[in-house]
C-alpha cells in the first residue's frame, strides 16, 4: 500500500512522532489516520512504561499566572537530563499542565496521594447513596467503586481529561511526550494559588 508524504506529515503533526514511525503506523493501519494514531499511542505507552523506572532528577519548576493575576500555578516537572528539560517540547508540556491545573484545581498528582480522610468520606457518601437504591450489597460495592473512580477522574491530575483535548488524560499527554523525547517524565509536585482562597 502506498502512503503519501502528506498523510505521514499530517500524522506527524498530530502525534509528534518521527516520520518513519508515522509511516509504519499508517501502513499497519492501512492508511486510516485514526487507527494509525491509536497504534502510535499504544507504542508510546509501551515505550513510556519501559522508561518509567528510570530516575528523573532533572527538569524545571514552571510558573503560570492567569491573565488578571488572580490565579497562579507552580509546577515541578522532572525528566532525566538537563538537555530534555531545555527543549521546547518539554517546556510546552509543562505550560500545558500548568494551565490545566489552573483550570481544574486538582487535589493531588496521583490517586495514591489523595488523603485517606477524603477517600473515606467520599466512600461513606457513595455507600449511603447506593444503599438507598435498595440494591444487593455486591451491587452497592460496585456502584461505590464506579463513583470513586469517577471522583478520581475529576480530581486527580494524572487521571483528569486534558482541558485542551478531552479525548486524552494528563497521563496520556505525558506518555506521548515520553515517546517523543525518549526520557521518563514525572509530575513531582504542584501548588495552585488563587487570590482570596486559603
Amino acid at each position: 500500500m502506498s502512503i503519501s508524504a502528506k498523510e505521514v506529515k499530517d500524522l506527524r503533526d498530530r502525534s509528534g512522532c518521527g516520520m518513519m514511525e508515522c509511516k509504519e503506523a499508517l501502513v499497519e493501519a492501512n492508511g486510516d489516520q485514526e487507527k494509525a494514531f491509536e497504534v502510535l499511542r499504544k507504542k508510546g505507552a509501551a515505550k513510556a512504561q519501559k522508561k518509567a523506572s528510570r530516575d528523573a532528577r532533572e527538569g524545571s519548576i514552571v510558573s503560570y499566572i492567569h491573565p488578571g493575576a488572580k490565579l497562579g500555578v507552580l509546577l515541578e516537572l522532572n525528566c532525566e537530563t538537563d538537555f530534555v528539560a531545555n527543549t521546547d517540547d518539554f517546556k510546552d508540556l509543562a505550560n500545558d499542565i500548568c494551565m490545566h491545573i489552573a483550570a481544574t484545581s486538582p487535589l493531588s498528582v496521583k490517586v495514591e496521594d489523595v488523603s485517606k480522610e477524603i477517600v473515606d468520606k467520599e466512600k461513606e457518601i457513595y455507600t449511603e447513596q447506593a444503599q438507598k437504591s435498595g440494591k444487593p450489597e455486591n451491587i452497592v460495592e460496585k456502584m461505590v467503586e464506579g463513583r470513586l473512580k469517577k471522583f478520581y477522574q475529576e480530581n486527580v491530575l494524572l487521571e483528569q481529561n486534558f482541558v485542551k483535548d478531552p479525548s486524552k488524560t494528563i497521563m496520556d499527554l505525558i506518555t506521548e511526550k515520553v515517546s517523543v523525547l525518549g526520557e521518563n517524565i514525572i509530575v513531582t509536585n504542584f501548588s495552585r494559588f488563587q487570590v482570596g482562597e486559603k
Side-chain angles (χ1 to χ4, degrees):
M1 157 166 225
S2 74
I3 304 291
S4 74
K6 186 191 182 310
E7 288 174 304
V8 174
K9 186 187 180 305
D10 289 348
L11 185 59
R12 182 170 195 261
D13 290 345
R14 184 174 167 198
S15 69
C17 292
M19 296 293 263
M20 284 311 295
E21 271 185 295
C22 292
K23 187 171 183 179
E24 285 164 16
L26 281 161
V27 168
E28 191 177 322
N30 292 322
D32 184 314
Q33 285 277 342
E34 286 305 313
K35 283 183 186 163
F37 187 66
E38 278 307 306
V39 166
L40 289 172
R41 281 181 74 174
K42 283 176 188 157
K43 283 183 181 170
K47 279 185 195 171
Q49 237 169 357
K50 283 181 193 167
K51 291 176 175 57
S53 62
R54 297 190 338 206
D55 270 356
R57 292 172 190 252
E58 291 298 330
S60 55
I61 293 175
V62 183
S63 63
Y64 166 78
I65 305 296
H66 193 68
K70 303 267 186 206
L71 175 64
V73 173
L74 272 179
L75 168 75
E76 181 182 353
L77 189 66
N78 294 120
C79 57
E80 296 172 46
T81 63
D82 237 5
F83 175 77
V84 163
N86 288 310
T87 62
D88 288 342
D89 275 332
F90 186 84
K91 290 174 187 170
D92 290 346
L93 174 64
N95 285 326
D96 278 343
I97 295 173
C98 278
M99 283 173 29
H100 175 90
I101 292 166
T104 62
S105 188
L107 294 173
S108 67
V109 175
K110 303 181 296 235
V111 168
E112 305 82 59
D113 298 340
V114 180
S115 77
K116 188 178 178 326
E117 292 79 25
I118 291 174
V119 173
D120 288 346
K121 185 74 184 152
E122 292 300 316
K123 273 186 181 170
E124 190 184 309
I125 292 165
Y126 301 147
T127 303
E128 206 174 291
Q129 289 171 343
Q131 283 170 341
K132 285 181 183 167
S133 69
K135 296 206 163 59
E137 197 56 41
N138 64 327
I139 302 293
V140 166
E141 277 176 34
K142 283 188 177 139
M143 288 167 76
V144 170
E145 263 175 51
R147 287 180 186 165
L148 200 56
K149 188 177 178 188
K150 190 171 192 303
F151 170 79
Y152 290 140
Q153 286 168 345
E154 289 171 356
N155 295 285
V156 174
L157 177 64
L158 296 179
E159 308 292 320
Q160 288 179 325
N161 290 335
F162 180 36
V163 288
K164 282 164 77 175
D165 180 0
S167 73
K168 57 179 92 162
T169 64
I170 294 297
M171 192 67 231
D172 293 336
L173 191 68
I174 293 168
T175 299
E176 284 174 13
K177 286 295 182 208
V178 168
S179 69
V180 170
L181 295 169
E183 287 194 5
N184 190 16
I185 297 173
I186 299 168
V187 174
T188 305
N189 210 343
F190 70 84
S191 289
R192 182 181 182 276
F193 304 91
Q194 188 156 0
V195 172
E197 274 187 14
K198 285 187 180 176

